[in-house]
Amino acid sequence: MGLLPIQIYPDPLLKTVCEPVEKVTPIIQKLLDEMAETMYAAPGIGLAAPQVGISKRVIVLDVSWKGDKGPRVLYQLVNPVIVERSGSIEWEEGCLSIPEFSQVMKRSQKVKVEALNRDGKKKIIEGEDILAVCLQHEIDHLDGKLIIDKASRLKRKLYLDKIKKHQHTQSHPEVVF
Ligand code: NI
């Protein structure tokens, strides 16, 4: 197992609509495990396959994890679909693919998601607050939707100008900073 390189905005892959997974094969299980490892190492609370260069409907998340202390509640989900949503909540979100950027997002406060788990079994997850927010954020990634899309044109332009400057001075622009 190894860590996967995280794609950084404005990488065009982040804007694509990902393909559903036909079957949870050992290759998909390996992807799920490497994505979890990459998410914990980042560290982050969620990661979607397009963020590691794979255009498949696969996400991992763990909103409970606080470093190496305490238990992990890891979700590894394939083809996740939101089947119910209710309420609304505002959350300031960041994204591993958009370093040093955050955006207040309006989300449903509660969602019900259907997906396949790591064993290819159908699973229903009901989440609220941060779990609901994270599920919506990661499922958005599968449709090429990013939190920066909701920023004003000016905020987006300022951010792009900033990362252009970084790329000039960095020898390894793919590294998360
Ligand atoms: Ni993200």
Side-chain angles (χ1 to χ4, degrees), residues 51 95 137 141:
Q51 293 182 274
C95 180
H137 179 117
H141 270 299

Side-chain angles (χ1 to χ4, degrees), residues 32 35 47-50 56-61 75-80 113 134-135 138-139 141-142:
L32 284 163
M35 281 173 61
L47 191 67
K56 292 273 182 204
R57 303 190 80 83
V58 170
I59 62 173
V60 297
L61 55 151
Y75 292 96
Q76 294 176 298
L77 306 178
V78 173
N79 300 342
V113 170
C134 192
L135 283 162
E138 301 314 329
I139 292 169
H141 270 299
L142 305 182

Side-chain angles (χ1 to χ4, degrees), residues 14 46-48 51 93-98 137-138 141 145-147:
L14 294 169
L47 191 67
Q51 293 182 274
E93 299 176 27
C95 180
L96 290 174
S97 292
I98 316 173
H137 179 117
E138 301 314 329
H141 270 299
K145 293 182 191 159
L146 301 172
I147 56 172

Side-chain angles (χ1 to χ4, degrees), residues 9-11 15 97-105 144-165:
Y9 180 83
D11 187 298
K15 297 299 296 169
S97 292
I98 316 173
E100 294 178 12
F101 180 87
S102 69
Q103 178 71 23
V104 175
M105 299 290 288
K145 293 182 191 159
L146 301 172
I147 56 172
I148 199 164
D149 301 336
K150 294 285 180 193
S152 67
R153 267 166 59 186
L154 176 64
K155 187 175 172 185
R156 203 158 45 235
K157 185 188 178 304
L158 289 172
Y159 182 75
L160 277 165
D161 289 348
K162 189 170 90 174
I163 55 175
K164 263 183 218 147
K165 256 185 231 161

